[in-house]
Amino acid sequence: VDESELLTVPDGWKEPAFTREDNPKGLLEESSFATLFPKYREAYLKECWPLVQKALSEHYVNATLDLIEGSMTVTTTKKTFDPYAIIRARDLIKLLARSVPFEQAVRILQDDVACDIIKIGSLVRKRETFIKRRGRLLGPKGSTLKALELLTNCYIMVQGNTVSALGPFSGLKEVRKVVLDTMKNIHPIYNIKTLMIKRELAKDPELRSQSWERFLPKFKRKNLKKRKEPKKKNTKKEYTPFPPPQPESQIDKELASGEYFLKERQKKRKRVEEIKAKQADAIKKRQEERNKAFIPPKEKPVVKTKKGN
């Protein structure tokens, strides 16, 4: 038998369900999990709690809702035979606390469905950048999120600082990669394009044992090479242990030029002369600009054309 055939799972194969015959004596110890929920979820949880208890009672797991403390608790009973049922019940109450509707969250009790709660709050420092990138994950009118759900066969809920995903294991792996890349400033459209190509390649049975690297697009960052240089470049001056020279005061400048020893009347006359000199220069420049209009332009020489006889 070929090794590649042994490693691949046949199409349509499903793991048999865990029944009471597999564990007739039940569990020896009681296990319990509790999780807190925000205040705004209280009304919804109070409304759908009978449905939660009914769904968990099929797996012989008790569920209690404490509105005073703001917590949900799940506990195994003597009749519980599936040891993994309490883990699925724990995931159920976690999803309900993260604003996932009951209709979707109850799917976690199925064998082929798993969940993943991705924490994205600490991945970006600035709050404005975080909101911008989280909005990029949703897309215009939720179109990017919907495309991701269709490609991964997962239900995705973006709420606050977490992203809750519910679906098959292979889909959850792709969702986590896309979410983390989006928070690292890689646009989700690149990953969505790659997923679309992979989905088409998976339909071909001949390509299952081959590498898909040649089909997948390779995106390069172009904006880093074409980055414009700043107009003002801050150049570091050479380090010197000596302090800079003391700037000259107005008195020092007057002493150097000899103006300090002049009388007040002479100083005033000197200032008036400087103002008059500046005014004379300005009048001269203005007169030159006006005279330019009276200078005639140079005429082009007339070229005589020979008339044909």
Side-chain angles (χ1 to χ4, degrees):
V1 181
D2 191 13
E3 287 184 6
S4 61
E5 290 180 11
L6 292 171
L7 294 171
T8 55
V9 179
D11 292 331
W13 181 84
K14 199 174 182 182
E15 193 177 347
F18 193 87
T19 58
R20 184 170 282 281
E21 284 74 26
D22 298 317
N23 187 17
K25 293 182 180 180
L27 305 176
L28 294 172
E29 294 290 333
E30 185 185 278
S31 302
S32 65
F33 288 100
T35 185
L36 299 172
F37 60 87
K39 184 73 175 174
Y40 63 85
R41 289 292 288 170
E42 188 178 313
Y44 180 79
L45 290 171
K46 196 175 178 181
E47 186 182 340
C48 72
W49 198 250
L51 297 170
V52 176
Q53 287 179 321
K54 187 183 177 184
L56 290 174
S57 64
E58 293 175 8
H59 298 269
Y60 303 102
V61 176
N62 287 337
T64 53
L65 178 68
D66 191 349
L67 296 173
I68 297 164
E69 192 182 339
S71 66
M72 294 178 282
T73 312
V74 286
T75 318
T76 55
T77 59
K78 290 180 180 179
K79 291 183 179 180
T80 310
F81 61 88
D82 187 1
Y84 202 72
I86 188 66
I87 304 295
R88 295 193 181 280
R90 179 202 65 183
D91 291 340
L92 172 63
I93 58 173
K94 271 189 179 180
L95 291 169
L96 288 170
R98 295 308 315 149
S99 297
V100 177
F102 171 75
E103 293 79 13
Q104 292 291 340
V106 77
R107 286 171 54 211
I108 195 67
L109 299 174
Q110 299 172 15
D111 287 338
D112 56 345
V113 178
C115 75
D116 190 9
I117 296 170
I118 308 155
K119 294 178 181 179
I120 57 173
S122 59
L123 297 175
V124 185
R125 287 184 181 180
K126 289 186 179 179
R127 186 68 184 170
E128 293 81 12
T129 313
F130 169 73
I131 292 163
K132 187 180 177 182
R133 290 181 189 176
R134 188 181 61 181
R136 196 182 289 168
L137 185 65
L138 292 166
K141 296 180 182 178
S143 57
T144 307
L145 196 69
K146 189 68 182 173
L148 196 61
E149 284 181 346
L150 291 169
L151 288 166
T152 57
N153 295 323
C154 293
Y155 173 80
I156 306 164
M157 181 75 186
V158 181
Q159 176 71 19
N161 294 333
T162 57
V163 177
S164 306
L166 188 77
F169 290 100
S170 58
L172 292 175
K173 188 180 175 183
E174 297 292 345
V175 170
R176 177 171 274 273
K177 184 182 179 298
V178 174
V179 170
L180 294 178
D181 283 354
T182 306
M183 289 293 127
K184 289 174 186 173
N185 203 20
I186 298 168
H187 204 280
I189 194 68
Y190 299 128
N191 286 310
I192 286 169
K193 280 185 178 180
T194 308
L195 287 171
M196 287 171 75
I197 294 163
K198 281 182 179 179
R199 194 178 190 181
E200 292 299 317
L201 291 170
K203 293 176 183 177
D204 192 351
E206 293 179 3
L207 295 170
R208 281 188 177 180
S209 58
Q210 296 178 17
S211 177
W212 292 353
E213 285 293 322
R214 63 182 191 274
F215 300 110
L216 301 176
K218 293 176 182 178
F219 301 104
K220 293 180 182 178
R221 292 186 178 183
K222 296 179 182 178
N223 57 343
L224 293 177
K225 290 181 181 178
K226 295 180 180 179
R227 187 178 175 184
K228 291 181 181 178
E229 292 184 0
K231 288 182 180 179
K232 291 182 181 178
K233 289 185 178 180
N234 296 327
T235 53
K236 282 189 176 181
K237 294 177 182 177
E238 290 183 7
Y239 173 74
T240 53
F242 308 104
Q246 192 79 10
E248 288 186 347
S249 64
Q250 189 66 28
I251 295 166
D252 292 337
K253 289 176 183 177
E254 287 178 1
L255 284 167
S257 63
E259 193 181 337
Y260 183 80
F261 303 102
L262 295 174
K263 291 179 181 178
E264 191 64 37
R265 196 187 299 167
Q266 290 172 324
K267 288 179 183 178
K268 196 173 183 181
R269 193 189 303 157
K270 192 179 179 182
R271 282 197 293 270
V272 170
E273 284 173 3
E274 285 175 0
I275 291 164
K276 282 182 179 179
K278 283 182 181 179
Q279 286 176 349
D281 287 341
I283 290 164
K284 192 179 178 181
K285 285 180 182 178
R286 211 179 299 128
Q287 196 64 38
E288 284 175 1
E289 288 291 327
R290 285 178 181 174
N291 291 338
K292 280 181 184 178
F294 300 105
I295 298 168
K298 290 181 180 180
E299 293 182 4
K300 291 180 182 179
V302 180
V303 180
K304 293 182 180 180
T305 55
K306 293 180 180 180
K307 292 182 180 179
N309 294 330

